[in-house]
Amino acid sequence: MSRYARLRSTMPPSTRGEIESLPSRCIEKDRVNQSSSLRRLLLAIESSCDETAAAVIDSERHVLSSIVATQHELHQRFGGVVPEIASRAHLERILPVIDEALRSAGAVLADIGAIAVATHPGLVGSLLVGLTAAKTLALVLDVPLLTINHIEAHLYSCQMAAGRNVFPAAGLVVSGGHSNLYNCRSPIDFELLGSTTDDAAGEAFDKVAQILGLDYPGGPLIEKIAETGNPTAFPFPRSFLKDERLDFSFSGLKTAVLYAVRGTPGSRAIPPPLTSQRIADLAASFQAAVVDVLVGKCEQTLDRTGRTTLLVGGGVGANTVLRQRLQEMAAHRGIEVIIAPRQYCTDNAAMGALGWELWERGIFSPLDTDVNPGLVRKRAAAQ
Ligand code: KG4
Ligand code: ZN
């Protein structure tokens, strides 16, 4: 069995391509030279955290393919993403995922006219795998390299969902590492207005899930269990909700859940047993607190910016209660809210269609571009 065949047999079925043929497909120089006038497809690559993803997108922003290989099963027993495991898994999966994206789109490398890749923010080792693949393809195919901000790409998935220009707008990105509010002036001009001062919303979902004995990632599981719970059972804090700052804090909420489960330090009171109903009530009350704060901060951002469109992206954007509450708020205020479709809320490469905005404007990155792993947070001095 060849090395590629062995690797392919370890891949989830959805990500298996005919990777035995990769070496020959990667260097189709003759075909590249012959068909340069036809090369108008964007190949987008995403590897910032624990999803290895590739997508092929045409100039109309039609997603011809979007392949996502999640690594959840590798990180589950640790209750969160282990960076070294993530980067090794990206390394194994990146070529099969790219190959599958091309195959599903009915495209070959010769059809690709530019490569977009998320370089910021994320885990350094994970980002490096995607960037190295992107640079290599850009070099071999002699096409432009486009580097994109993963968080801004989350907002761009709203543009793709709408199928029209949605800018200018206010924006909320709620993911595993970020809870950011934006004034989105254009698809390439995002002003960061606020961010979290500690845990991100998704991180809080994941940590609370761990406290409640649920698996990683916690968001979808908490959402499911909360369906049978009472959202008013526990009066959890809504940090910063009444504060004028466009910032978030979720660590106090997480600690409040912890104390409700294990008891308050210094108190002799023994908390009631963690029955399935109590878990459901805790999950529903926690979710209600997060949603209240997110919706409240979106309203403040709309007031502050005067925008009449709100874009929402990132993994927590898949949450049903949040989606409903945002729609209710939009109807009440007479504004438009565009939430990324669920499959484009969590990490994917289709949102790398943002690369088209760079491509059309000729904003290319050199081949010595590096990753920029740091979190996108508002600087204290800018407050
Ligand atoms: O955007 P994303 O896929 O990755 C990052 O860029 O971080 O977001 C992942 C986060 C995880 O924390 C996960 O628990 C959360 O999104 N999430 C959800 C839901 N689906 C995913 N949180 C609440 N409700 C959901 N349905
Ligand atoms: Zn993300």
Side-chain angles (χ1 to χ4, degrees):
M1 196 190 258
S2 74
R3 187 171 147 259
Y4 286 110
R6 232 183 0 259
L7 174 55
R8 180 173 181 266
S9 68
T10 67
M11 300 298 300
S14 62
T15 61
R16 283 180 200 163
E18 289 304 317
I19 64 171
E20 292 86 343
S21 63
L22 258 185
S24 57
R25 288 166 68 96
C26 280
I27 309 179
E28 294 175 344
K29 276 207 164 158
D30 292 344
R31 174 106 198 258
V32 170
N33 294 336
Q34 281 163 20
S35 63
S36 55
S37 60
L38 301 174
R39 290 189 291 148
R40 290 294 292 171
L41 296 180
L42 175 72
L43 172 67
I45 297 173
E46 155 62 40
S47 68
S48 64
C49 190
D50 60 343
E51 264 94 19
T52 318
V56 176
I57 304 128
D58 73 13
S59 59
E60 301 298 309
R61 317 306 193 248
H62 295 138
V63 180
L64 305 187
S65 66
S66 174
I67 305 297
V68 181
T70 68
Q71 305 175 4
H72 294 165
E73 76 286 359
L74 300 179
H75 303 285
Q76 232 151 31
R77 70 193 169 106
F78 302 103
V81 178
V82 181
E84 186 58 22
I85 292 176
S87 44
R88 282 168 192 269
H90 283 305
L91 205 52
E92 288 180 346
R93 294 164 189 219
I94 191 88
L95 291 183
V97 165
I98 292 172
D99 193 45
E100 188 60 27
L102 290 168
R103 186 176 302 276
S104 303
V108 293
L109 284 174
D111 301 319
I112 301 302
I115 315 282
V117 61
T119 54
H120 169 61
L123 303 170
V124 62
S126 296
L127 288 167
L128 273 171
V129 175
L131 178 59
T132 306
K135 282 182 181 179
T136 308
L137 286 170
L139 180 70
V140 170
L141 300 174
D142 195 18
V143 298
L145 176 71
L146 313 162
T147 52
I148 56 179
N149 177 315
H150 173 85
I151 304 299
E152 294 170 4
H154 269 305
L155 288 173
Y156 194 74
S157 42
C158 300
Q159 161 111 348
M160 292 163 64
R164 61 182 160 79
N165 179 35
V166 298
F167 297 91
L172 168 72
V173 178
V174 263
S175 67
H178 293 82
S179 303
N180 288 2
L181 293 161
Y182 287 92
N183 175 19
C184 316
R185 297 195 187 99
S186 83
I188 57 156
D189 186 1
F190 296 83
E191 180 192 4
L192 178 64
L193 299 176
S195 52
T196 185
T197 54
D198 41 54
D199 291 347
E203 193 177 357
F205 267 96
D206 295 335
K207 288 178 176 171
V208 164
Q210 216 176 6
I211 293 168
L212 298 179
L214 306 172
D215 267 343
Y216 170 86
L221 298 172
I222 288 190
E223 174 175 346
K224 183 87 195 101
I225 285 177
E227 282 170 15
T228 55
N230 174 2
T232 61
F234 295 87
F236 288 139
R238 270 82 171 149
S239 301
F240 289 8
L241 184 55
K242 304 281 178 222
D243 195 302
E244 290 218 333
R245 278 176 300 167
L246 293 178
D247 286 327
F248 297 101
S249 166
F250 292 109
S251 76
L253 171 59
K254 173 195 66 187
T255 306
V257 177
L258 181 73
Y259 290 174
V261 171
R262 300 196 190 152
T264 310
S267 158
R268 288 171 174 232
I270 298 171
L274 206 53
T275 60
S276 52
Q277 187 55 53
R278 191 169 164 85
I279 291 176
D281 289 344
L282 285 162
S285 301
F286 161 77
Q287 180 176 259
V290 174
V291 169
D292 276 354
V293 173
L294 293 177
V295 175
K297 288 293 166 191
C298 283
E299 291 215 66
Q300 283 180 305
T301 306
L302 288 161
D303 290 340
R304 193 80 59 90
T305 58
R307 301 294 189 207
T308 53
T309 302
L310 173 69
L311 311 179
V312 180
V316 183
N319 185 275
T320 307
V321 176
L322 176 62
R323 295 173 85 90
Q324 282 165 354
R325 285 282 308 283
L326 286 169
Q327 295 294 359
E328 284 162 19
M329 180 269 283
H332 182 69
R333 290 178 69 106
I335 62 126
E336 179 182 37
V337 61
I338 303 172
I339 312 174
R342 279 198 171 77
Q343 78 270 24
Y344 295 151
C345 278
T346 44
D347 286 350
N348 65 88
M351 63 193 194
L354 174 59
W356 264 107
E357 303 290 340
L358 303 175
W359 192 1
E360 285 169 350
R361 292 166 174 82
I363 304 172
F364 304 150
S365 293
L367 286 179
D368 64 354
T369 297
D370 206 350
V371 298
N372 179 5
L375 292 168
V376 180
R377 292 274 162 93
K378 216 170 67 176
R379 290 179 194 283
Q383 288 181 10

